[in-house]
């Protein structure tokens, strides 16, 4: 079967969507094992949501996909190319939306978005301006172009980070906790944006999140990491009645004041 | 042993950064705006403090040498002493120390903050090498501005010495005599050696500060630790290099 066709949200140029293969990925930080032989595949054009408790290795895995971390063992392949190879980022456009936005604080919103096309010489300033304004319009940010990141709310910073990623015309979008620290309305808006990019443009998407609503609402498939191990891989519907007690506890946590962990807190 | 390993790691990472930046020298014409910004920060903002410090260093040097040389009846050589000391040694060292404290600390703080708040990671994911846009313009700017700062520092230091020689009664040497002595024993090579030293010190300081900033790990607390480390390492490097460069250029 041919992969779905990715349509560039900015230029409408079409190209095959990309797939990601995680193959036996292991990462050690000293004696601590953050990832333990993790393997899965993200199909071209799908939304894959990676969940798990804090410290389970989700963000570390995301950093491996974009080449920010080197694996202790195993590998990450993007369209069959090693993610750590220098040419991969030149051939495949990958955008990562960081948890805190990672906007350049010394640049205005407009310049944050224009940095990538300027540095990679995507046409003259007028062409770049069109791209940037189109991305800002998609995220309803056209009135904030001249503001600086310090003047924006948390939700706006996330939207600017997504707009900056869009200007890169990505074939693969990675989101690190896109709805954390946001109110429910803004969380829903961000979820809609992620789903729209997938539905209309077939951007392959990997989302790292704690957000159960987001996972059940937009994911094609969900992976759950616990203690660096992949303990679940499947469609979100299977998570409504999980058989594994660890996953059930993660999805439907019960507060039991007689639990030993509360006793520890009392002392 | 652990500290020696850290030293080697730091040295290796600075050399690696230098080679990474050198790969992008061809992009400098496209980075005019960043280069000019850095010239302004390194040159213009450091100038007032260079002027004040060099003026008073020149004055103190003239005062001290006037006091000592009077015993030998050699007051007429104060101009030569201040001139040569500033051109060959004090000018480049003072300017480099000020650049380390004023500019180097700011560079490390900015890059460390960008690293801690993932702005550097964002650049890497955008396939924009940090060495190209964060390090190269700074290295190029310091190469241009250091000789300028050193020349201005020398002139102001010499002038400070002349003011003391004229107005301090126990010395009382006219500016004409002071500058005549300064010119008599000064060769072009002396000034050239000083400028060469300033160039080397400034380049090394900025490279060290960029490298330490970009290698910052952890949270906001580490930004302060990196700044302290960058300034201390820069100052030590200036003084250690000073001996070897002076010996090499003699």
């Amino acid at each position: 079967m041919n992969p779905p066709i990715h349509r560039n949200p900015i230029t409408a140029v079409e190209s095959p969507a990309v797939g990601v293969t995680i193959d036996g990925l292991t990462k050690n930080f000293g004696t601590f094992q953050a990832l333990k032989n993790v393997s899965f595949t993200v199909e071209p054009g799908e939304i894959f949501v990676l969940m798990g408790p804090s410290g389970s290795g989700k963000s570390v895995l995301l950093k491996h996909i974009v080449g920010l971390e080197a694996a202790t063992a195993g590998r990450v392949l993007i369209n069959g190319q090693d993610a750590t190879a220098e040419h991969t980022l030149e051939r495949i456009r990958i955008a990562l939306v960081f948890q805190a936005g990672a906007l350049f604080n010394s640049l205005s919103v407009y310049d944050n978005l224009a940095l990538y096309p300027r540095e990679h010489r995507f046409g003259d300033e007028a062409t770049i301006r069109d791209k940037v304004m189109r991305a800002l319009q998609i995220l309803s940010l056209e009135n904030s172009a001249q503001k600086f990141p310090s003047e924006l709310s948390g939700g706006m910073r996330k939207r600017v980070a997504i707009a900056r990623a869009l200007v890169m015309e990505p074939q693969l979008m990675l989101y690190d906790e896109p709805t954390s620290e946001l109110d429910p309305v803004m969380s829903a808006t961000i979820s809609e944006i992620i789903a729209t990019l997938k539905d209309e443009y077939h951007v392959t998407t990997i989302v790292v999140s704690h957000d159960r609503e987001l996972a059940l609402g937009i994911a094609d498939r969900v992976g759950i990491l616990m203690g660096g191990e992949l303990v679940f891989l499947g469609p979100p519907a299977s998570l409504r009645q999980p058989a594994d007690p660890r996953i059930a506890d993660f999805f439907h946590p019960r507060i039991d004041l007689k639990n030993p962990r509360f006793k520890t807190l009392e002392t | 042993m652990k500290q020696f390993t850290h030293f080697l790691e730091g040295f290796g990472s600075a050399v690696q950064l230098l080679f990474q930046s050198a790969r992008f020298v061809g992009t400098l014409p496209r980075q005019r705006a960043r280069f000019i910004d850095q010239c302004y920060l390194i040159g213009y903002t450091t100038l007032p403090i260079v002027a004040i410090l060099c003026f008073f260093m020149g004055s103190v040097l003239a005062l001290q040498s006037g006091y000592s040389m009077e015993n030998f009846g050699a007051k007429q050589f104060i101009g030569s002493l201040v001139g040569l000391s500033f051109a060959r040694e004090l000018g480049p060292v003072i300017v480099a120390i000020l650049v380390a404290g004023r500019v180097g600390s700011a560079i490390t703080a900015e890059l460390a903050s960008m690293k801690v708040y993932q702005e550097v990671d964002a650049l890497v994911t955008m396939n924009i090498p940090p060495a190209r846009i964060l390090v190269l313009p700074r290295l190029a700017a310091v190469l241009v501005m250091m000789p300028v700062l050193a020349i201005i520092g020398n002139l102001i230091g010499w002038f400070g010495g002349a003011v003391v020689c004229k107005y301090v009664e126990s010395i009382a040497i006219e500016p004409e005599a002071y500058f005549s002595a300064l010119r008599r024993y000064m060769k072009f090579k002396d000034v050239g050696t000083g400028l060469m030293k300033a160039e080397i010190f400034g380049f090394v300081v900025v490279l060290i500060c960029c490298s330490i900033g970009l290698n910052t790990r952890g949270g906001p607390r580490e930004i302060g630790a990196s700044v302290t480390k960058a300034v201390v390492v820069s100052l030590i490097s200036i003084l250690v290099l000073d001996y070897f460069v002076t010996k090499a250029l003699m």
Side-chain angles (χ1 to χ4, degrees):
Chain A
M1 198 180 91
N2 289 331
I5 295 299
H6 156 74
R7 189 155 63 88
N8 190 312
I10 307 292
T11 61
V13 172
E14 295 185 341
S15 60
V18 303
V20 179
T21 304
I22 312 289
D23 182 16
L25 194 65
T26 298
K27 177 68 180 178
N28 298 339
F29 293 107
T31 54
F32 174 69
Q33 205 168 16
L35 293 172
K36 299 171 187 167
N37 197 24
V38 176
S39 296
F40 64 88
T41 304
V42 179
E43 300 300 331
E46 83 168 333
I47 296 183
F48 184 89
V49 177
L50 193 60
M51 302 187 77
S54 299
S56 58
K58 308 182 297 292
S59 297
V60 174
L61 194 146
L62 213 53
K63 284 183 176 175
H64 279 83
I65 297 173
V66 80
L68 286 173
E69 290 280 0
T72 306
R75 59 190 182 154
V76 177
L77 300 174
I78 301 168
N79 260 11
Q81 297 179 38
D82 193 331
T84 54
E86 205 171 314
H87 58 76
T88 305
L89 277 178
E90 285 164 15
R91 290 181 188 166
I92 301 166
R93 292 182 306 276
I94 308 167
L96 169 58
V97 178
F98 288 84
Q99 184 171 358
L103 302 177
F104 303 114
N105 285 315
S106 56
L107 301 179
S108 67
V109 167
Y110 180 89
D111 288 332
N112 259 280
L113 269 66
L115 183 68
Y116 180 84
R118 278 179 185 153
E119 285 300 317
H120 292 279
R121 295 198 250 189
F122 280 9
D124 57 16
E125 198 56 37
T127 314
I128 291 169
R129 185 173 177 77
D130 287 346
K131 282 180 199 287
V132 169
M133 293 316 291
R134 169 89 182 107
L136 288 173
Q137 272 165 10
I138 292 173
L139 275 298
S140 309
L141 285 163
E142 55 271 46
N143 295 328
S144 304
Q146 296 312 319
K147 287 185 178 168
F148 280 81
S150 57
E151 300 171 77
L152 305 176
S153 67
M156 286 173 87
R157 288 173 70 91
K158 295 253 181 191
R159 278 153 61 204
V160 173
I162 296 174
R164 187 175 70 179
L166 279 185
V167 173
M168 291 172 67
E169 304 173 16
Q171 294 159 288
L172 172 61
M173 283 277 272
L174 310 171
Y175 298 85
D176 191 0
E177 302 284 3
T179 56
S180 66
E181 301 164 30
L182 297 181
D183 61 69
V185 175
M186 190 51 69
S187 293
T189 309
I190 298 285
S191 303
E192 276 172 22
I193 290 166
I194 296 171
T196 305
L197 287 172
K198 184 258 178 177
D199 292 341
E200 293 188 15
Y201 306 107
H202 294 117
V203 177
T204 308
T205 304
I206 301 175
V207 184
V208 158
S209 181
H210 286 111
D211 190 336
R212 183 171 163 266
E213 300 303 321
L214 176 115
L216 298 178
I218 64 167
D220 293 314
R221 281 190 309 143
V222 177
I224 297 182
L225 274 177
M226 283 188 176
E229 281 180 275
L230 191 68
V231 297
F232 174 86
L233 187 64
S238 338
L239 289 169
R240 295 192 191 277
Q241 298 291 328
D244 187 328
R246 290 174 301 174
I247 299 171
D249 193 37
F250 174 67
F251 263 81
H252 309 284
R254 278 171 299 177
I255 297 173
D256 174 10
L257 293 175
K258 289 179 182 156
N259 191 300
R261 66 177 177 244
F262 288 104
K263 293 285 176 207
T264 314
L265 285 175
E266 279 172 18
T267 57
Chain B
M1 186 62 197
K2 198 177 168 188
Q3 283 189 326
F4 184 65
T5 316
H6 279 313
F7 166 76
L8 286 182
E9 275 175 9
F11 182 74
S13 124
V15 172
Q16 196 179 14
L17 189 62
L18 175 61
F19 283 110
Q20 284 170 357
S21 308
R23 277 175 56 199
F24 302 111
V25 167
T27 66
L28 259 180
R30 283 203 291 127
Q31 302 198 62
R32 273 191 309 276
R34 287 190 196 109
F35 169 74
I36 292 166
D37 270 358
Q38 292 305 321
C39 284
Y40 174 82
L41 286 172
I42 293 170
Y44 186 75
T45 62
T46 318
L47 195 55
I49 192 165
V50 164
I52 294 168
L53 215 70
C54 286
F55 179 85
F56 284 101
M57 283 300 290
S59 309
V60 169
L61 192 60
L63 200 59
Q64 288 281 20
S65 44
Y67 172 75
S68 335
M69 291 166 93
E70 195 176 15
N71 298 328
F72 310 106
K75 279 199 303 188
Q76 68 274 25
F77 296 115
I78 292 176
S80 316
L81 192 145
V82 174
L84 280 172
S85 306
F86 250 92
R88 292 185 63 93
E89 190 61 40
L90 287 177
V93 171
I94 289 173
V95 169
I97 287 173
L98 291 179
V99 165
R102 170 74 181 74
V103 179
S105 57
I107 288 174
T108 307
E110 185 182 345
L111 298 189
S113 155
M114 288 183 75
K115 178 75 180 173
V116 165
Y117 294 109
Q118 294 187 305
E119 292 179 37
V120 172
D121 286 347
L123 284 175
V124 174
T125 63
M126 291 170 147
N127 197 23
I128 301 171
R132 186 174 83 202
I133 69 165
L134 299 178
V135 181
L136 182 65
R138 289 180 164 92
L139 289 175
V142 80
L143 283 178
V144 171
M145 296 318 295
M146 278 306 279
V148 176
L149 286 173
I151 288 171
I152 294 173
N154 283 345
L155 292 174
I156 293 174
W158 294 341
F159 175 71
V163 169
V164 165
C165 286
K166 180 167 171 62
Y167 293 105
V168 173
E169 277 179 26
S170 60
I171 303 174
I173 294 175
E174 286 302 310
E176 292 77 19
Y178 171 88
F179 281 111
S180 160
L182 190 150
R183 278 196 302 271
R184 194 176 313 138
Y185 295 100
M186 176 94 68
K187 297 188 190 82
F188 182 75
K189 189 190 165 201
D190 297 319
V191 178
T193 301
L195 297 186
M196 182 83 84
K197 282 164 77 171
E199 197 81 296
I200 294 168
F201 297 159
F203 190 80
V204 169
V205 163
V206 170
L207 185 64
I208 287 170
C209 292
C210 286
S211 177
I212 291 176
L214 288 174
N215 282 303
T216 305
R217 299 264 184 281
R221 196 175 155 187
E222 304 308 318
I223 298 171
S226 286
V227 172
T228 308
K229 185 178 168 189
V231 173
V232 170
V233 174
S234 297
L235 294 181
I236 293 171
S237 304
I238 290 167
L239 297 177
V240 171
L241 270 176
D242 189 24
Y243 174 79
F244 292 104
V245 175
T246 304
K247 199 154 182 352
L249 293 176
M250 264 180 168

